[in-house]
Amino acid sequence: MESTNQKQHWENIYASKNEQDFSWFQEYPKTSVAFLSLFDLSKKSNIIDIGGGDSHFVDALIELGFENIYVLDISEKSIERAKKRLGENAEKINWIVSDVTDFTSSVKFDFWHDRAAFHFLTGEDKIEKYVRVAEQYINQKGYLILGTFAENGPDKCSGLEIKQYSEASMSYRFEKSFNRIKCMQETHITPFNTPQNFLFCSFQKK
Ligand SMILES: C[S@@+](CC[C@H](N)C(=O)[O-])C[C@H]1O[C@@H](n2cnc3c(N)ncnc32)[C@H](O)[C@@H]1O
């Protein structure tokens, strides 16, 4: 799908549905927070949530006392929604509307989190672009956490084709510049009570 169509897809989704209608919705992102807790990050670390949308991960980051938080999403509407939900706390966040594959930044990140955004990149060129962007903007020794549908997970999300990953296929993409730390499978239960198998892996920039 073209980038403009992708954007329009997500703008429509966020304009027309409540968070409880999203299959990916989590009241509390416990696996993401568990990965974050593995690393001894300073509260001043630069942390970015890629394809963060209206996720509650940003709420958890604020609650944990992190001071330099960035949320990037292709959808402006998703960011508007997150800002509204957070109220005054929204001012503590750096909000970025961009396709991640076009992202440029003047800061580099110590912790890069992506739950269910990377897997929407299905073409080789876009996947490669994502890897290059992550390589460019993650600090040396910085962490990358990716959550995608696993090989025994769904093959679509939000009506769009996705790419499933195994520990090996995800590691293969990032191994040039990152060391793999740990992977785990998670069964996410959607708000409609259906299971979805995710794979989460953490990497450290060489
Ligand atoms: C399935 S949702 C997951 C949202 C959030 N990460 C969570 O776990 O609740 C995918 C998110 O990725 C965003 N997204 C999709 N493609 C993107 C891209 N190329 N660049 C940036 N964001 C993208 C969507 O707008 C949407 O907010």
Side-chain angles (χ1 to χ4, degrees):
M1 197 190 263
E2 289 289 317
S3 214
T4 41
N5 295 345
Q6 282 269 0
K7 182 175 168 60
Q8 201 48 56
H9 171 87
W10 290 106
E11 296 298 10
N12 294 343
I13 292 284
Y14 283 106
S16 61
K17 294 190 177 200
N18 298 316
E19 61 181 12
Q20 291 287 343
D21 300 326
F22 299 147
S23 59
W24 58 88
F25 175 69
Q26 293 180 297
E27 191 65 51
Y28 189 77
K30 64 175 184 345
T31 302
S32 303
V33 172
F35 270 103
L36 180 76
S37 314
L38 288 178
F39 314 120
D40 192 20
L41 289 167
S42 125
K43 298 298 182 203
K44 303 226 174 283
S45 301
N46 287 332
I47 296 187
I48 189 161
D49 191 16
I50 299 292
D54 195 11
S55 158
H56 292 197
F57 185 49
V58 68
D59 308 44
L61 292 170
I62 295 171
E63 208 175 284
L64 289 164
F66 288 100
E67 294 168 18
N68 294 307
I69 306 169
Y70 296 72
V71 175
L72 175 146
D73 204 281
I74 199 169
S75 159
E76 190 154 9
K77 186 75 193 161
S78 75
I79 301 256
E80 273 170 28
R81 282 173 61 141
K83 283 183 176 169
K84 197 165 169 200
R85 189 170 50 74
L86 287 168
E88 277 182 11
N89 271 341
E91 287 161 30
K92 299 178 182 166
I93 311 301
N94 302 283
W95 302 100
I96 304 161
V97 177
S98 171
D99 183 324
V100 59
T101 61
D102 296 329
F103 178 44
T104 59
S105 175
S106 55
V107 295
K108 288 193 171 196
F109 301 94
D110 305 301
F111 187 88
W112 174 293
H113 171 266
D114 177 327
R115 174 178 179 267
F118 176 61
H119 68 191
F120 287 104
L121 306 176
T122 54
E124 195 57 26
D125 53 335
K126 289 281 185 183
I127 295 171
E128 272 305 306
K129 263 184 148 181
Y130 184 105
V131 174
R132 296 286 94 81
V133 171
E135 284 175 343
Q136 191 173 355
Y137 296 121
I138 297 178
N139 278 321
Q140 205 182 3
K141 304 287 175 205
Y143 299 101
L144 162 67
I145 313 299
L146 281 173
T148 67
F149 283 161
E151 286 189 320
N152 57 354
D155 53 13
K156 282 194 167 183
C157 181
S158 183
L160 299 176
E161 301 284 334
I162 60 91
K163 197 165 173 62
Q164 299 172 331
Y165 283 91
S166 65
E167 196 168 326
S169 62
M170 194 186 286
S171 305
Y172 164 75
R173 288 289 170 189
F174 292 92
E175 67 189 6
K176 191 171 142 239
S177 305
F178 296 86
N179 291 315
R180 185 176 72 230
I181 303 171
K182 168 184 160 158
C183 297
M184 59 171 284
Q185 289 231 12
E186 182 204 51
T187 304
H188 165 63
I189 305 296
T190 70
F192 338 115
N193 235 3
T194 49
Q196 293 184 329
N197 291 326
F198 272 76
L199 172 75
F200 277 84
C201 288
S202 55
F203 301 88
Q204 186 171 32
K205 180 98 177 285
K206 289 178 185 170

